């Protein structure tokens, strides 16, 4: 009986050792997988950050180009307004000259008729 009990104890001990070894192997495997996932997560974060940085850089370049274009258009509009003011002034001067010429012509016609 004692021999049988000892034999069972030995088998149970061996079985326990095997289970412990399997658990250790599984724990090692899980730690390795966790480490791999962490590495992949870090790589994905880095790629995401790089993509964001590049997108921001492109947006800044585009914004700067738009601001330059807007400044150029504002300058063009300003010069066009100045040109319009000059044309209005010239028109007014021409109208005044035309009135004067018409008055002079009228006076000459009156003088000629007399």
């Amino acid at each position: 009986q004692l021999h049988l009990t000892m034999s069972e104890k030995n088998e149970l001990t061996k079985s326990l050792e095997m289970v412990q070894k399997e658990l250790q192997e599984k724990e090692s495997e899980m730690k390795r997988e966790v480490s791999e996932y962490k590495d992949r997560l870090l790589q994905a974060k880095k790629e995401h950050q790089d993509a964001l940085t590049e997108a921001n850089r492109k947006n800044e370049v585009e914004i700067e180009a738009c601001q330059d274009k807007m400044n150029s258009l504002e300058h063009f509009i300003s010069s066009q307004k100045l040109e319009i003011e000059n044309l209005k002034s010239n028109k007014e001067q021409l109208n005044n000259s035309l009135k004067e010429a018409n008055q002079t012509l009228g006076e000459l016609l009156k003088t000629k008729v007399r």
Side-chain angles (χ1 to χ4, degrees):
Q1 180 75 15
L2 180 63
H3 180 67
L4 188 60
T5 305
M6 288 297 284
S7 178
E8 284 178 4
K9 179 189 170 207
N10 284 341
E11 283 181 35
L12 286 173
T13 301
K14 283 182 184 178
S15 179
L16 179 62
E17 287 172 355
M18 285 179 61
V19 167
Q20 285 176 334
K21 185 178 178 187
E22 282 180 29
L23 284 174
Q24 284 176 345
E25 287 174 359
K26 285 190 180 196
E27 182 184 16
S28 266
E29 175 70 15
M30 292 177 109
K31 282 182 179 177
R32 188 185 59 74
E33 286 179 10
V34 166
S35 177
E36 284 178 13
Y37 287 133
K38 283 181 180 177
D39 289 346
R40 284 165 56 187
L41 180 61
L42 284 175
Q43 180 64 27
K45 282 182 179 179
K46 183 186 179 307
E47 289 171 4
H48 180 68
Q49 187 58 48
D50 290 348
L52 279 177
T53 301
E54 178 63 15
N56 283 339
R57 189 195 62 76
K58 284 182 180 178
N59 285 342
E60 286 172 8
V61 167
E62 195 173 324
I63 286 169
E64 192 173 316
C66 287
Q67 285 175 336
D68 288 346
K69 188 172 184 176
M70 192 171 76
N71 290 338
S72 174
L73 287 172
E74 285 174 350
H75 179 72
F76 176 74
I77 288 169
S78 179
S79 69
Q80 291 297 304
K81 284 180 179 178
L82 191 60
E83 181 68 20
I84 288 169
E85 290 303 314
N86 286 337
L87 289 172
K88 283 180 181 178
S89 177
N90 288 344
K91 178 185 171 190
E92 195 173 319
Q93 288 174 2
L94 286 172
N95 281 339
N96 290 337
S97 294
L98 183 59
K99 284 179 187 175
E100 288 175 15
N102 281 334
Q103 285 175 353
T104 305
L105 180 61
E107 290 170 9
L108 285 173
L109 288 173
K110 285 180 187 176
T111 305
K112 187 178 182 183
V113 170
R114 289 186 193 163

